Amino acid sequence: MARRRLRLRKPRGTGEHIAATVVALAAVTLLFQMVLAAQSAVVRGWPFLLVLAAGGLIYGLWRLLRSARARRARSDLLARLRIMLADIDAMNDREFEIALRDLLIRDGWSARRVGGGGDQAADVIGDHPQRGRIVVQAKHTRVGGKVGSSVMYAVKGTAGPVHKADHAVVVTNGAFTRDAMAWGDRHGVHWVDREKLQRWAGRGAALHELLKVSARSRPNRFRRAA
């Protein structure tokens, strides 16, 4: 059997109107008393609230200072970062990419690792306020291994159109074929072989100095040509 919905009906007659008025006044009085009680509680408890607010403020400032100190300590550590070739040779691909990211950060780039499946020929991307954006393709290989021209083609094809880069560089702990170096030089794809990597990672030379990347005053040739 269907339930009947309860509906409030309007008061009828003088007696019901008076009763409804009394109930409404009682509800307003109760609400007013609750407001007064809350105000009184706030007045009596303001020292506690003040201490609580001050404690929250102090904790927030402490967190900010701790975070700032941690960032400063990491920046100081990265500024002194040196990685020997023997350590690089012992890395896996992911560790090599992270190392290149940290080296870029050391040199003043805001860098992030993006390598992985579908990275479209970019393992690390760095941004610099004066030098623009750089795309790094990492090629970790056995000692004596060589990187061929096909890697340079892939980097050239995606660095500008896909990653909006101003500069592109392929970095290896091995070497490059003669054709790869010549093609990269002609088409604006920088290369860092084992000897340059030793100067960059082990001796502290800045990457932009090794590659002769100056502060940009106009749109970069690499991005326009890509």
Side-chain angles (χ1 to χ4, degrees):
M1 185 175 64
R3 295 181 180 180
R4 292 184 178 180
R5 293 184 179 179
L6 296 178
R7 295 182 180 179
L8 296 176
R9 63 177 179 82
K10 295 182 180 180
R12 298 174 181 175
T14 303
E16 290 188 2
H17 279 91
I18 293 175
T21 303
V22 170
V23 171
L25 289 174
V28 171
T29 302
L30 179 60
L31 179 62
F32 182 69
Q33 289 176 346
M34 291 174 62
V35 171
L36 289 179
Q39 183 179 13
S40 177
V42 170
V43 170
R44 289 196 305 270
W46 72 265
F48 172 75
L49 295 176
L50 182 61
V51 170
L52 188 64
L57 179 61
I58 292 172
Y59 177 73
L61 290 174
W62 174 77
R63 289 289 301 271
L64 287 174
L65 289 174
R66 188 178 70 167
S67 177
R69 284 198 299 268
R71 287 195 301 268
R72 186 161 54 249
R74 174 170 171 77
S75 297
D76 293 342
L77 182 63
L78 286 176
R80 300 189 299 271
L81 179 63
R82 301 292 185 272
I83 308 175
M84 298 298 104
L85 286 179
D87 297 322
I88 291 176
D89 292 338
M91 294 177 179
N92 57 34
D93 291 347
R94 182 177 183 277
E95 291 168 340
F96 186 47
E97 294 166 7
I98 292 173
L100 298 184
R101 178 204 65 188
D102 289 345
L103 288 169
L104 278 178
I105 294 174
R106 182 201 68 185
D107 292 347
W109 300 78
S110 175
R112 65 191 187 278
R113 175 182 173 268
V114 296
D119 57 27
Q120 299 190 81
D123 293 310
V124 179
I125 294 178
D127 291 287
H128 194 283
Q130 282 80 44
R131 297 181 176 87
R133 170 168 290 187
I134 190 168
V135 164
V136 178
Q137 173 75 348
K139 287 299 176 183
H140 190 270
T141 182
R142 60 179 176 81
V143 177
K146 289 190 175 183
V147 177
S149 300
S150 60
V151 175
M152 314 300 270
Y153 305 155
V155 171
K156 174 68 175 180
T158 61
V162 176
H163 303 295
K164 310 303 180 186
D166 298 286
H167 319 282
V169 57
V170 181
V171 182
T172 182
N173 61 320
F176 290 87
T177 63
R178 185 175 300 175
D179 288 343
M181 291 186 290
W183 195 94
D185 291 341
R186 285 197 306 271
H187 296 279
V189 179
H190 300 285
W191 48 270
V192 172
D193 59 4
R194 189 172 182 83
E195 185 272 331
K196 289 182 181 179
L197 182 59
Q198 182 179 23
R199 291 163 58 193
W200 181 29
R203 299 177 185 171
L207 181 63
H208 61 267
E209 295 174 352
L210 288 176
L211 305 182
K212 296 181 174 56
V213 174
S214 59
R216 58 178 184 177
S217 57
R218 58 188 179 184
N220 187 274
R221 178 179 66 85
F222 176 80
R223 184 180 288 193
R224 294 204 309 272

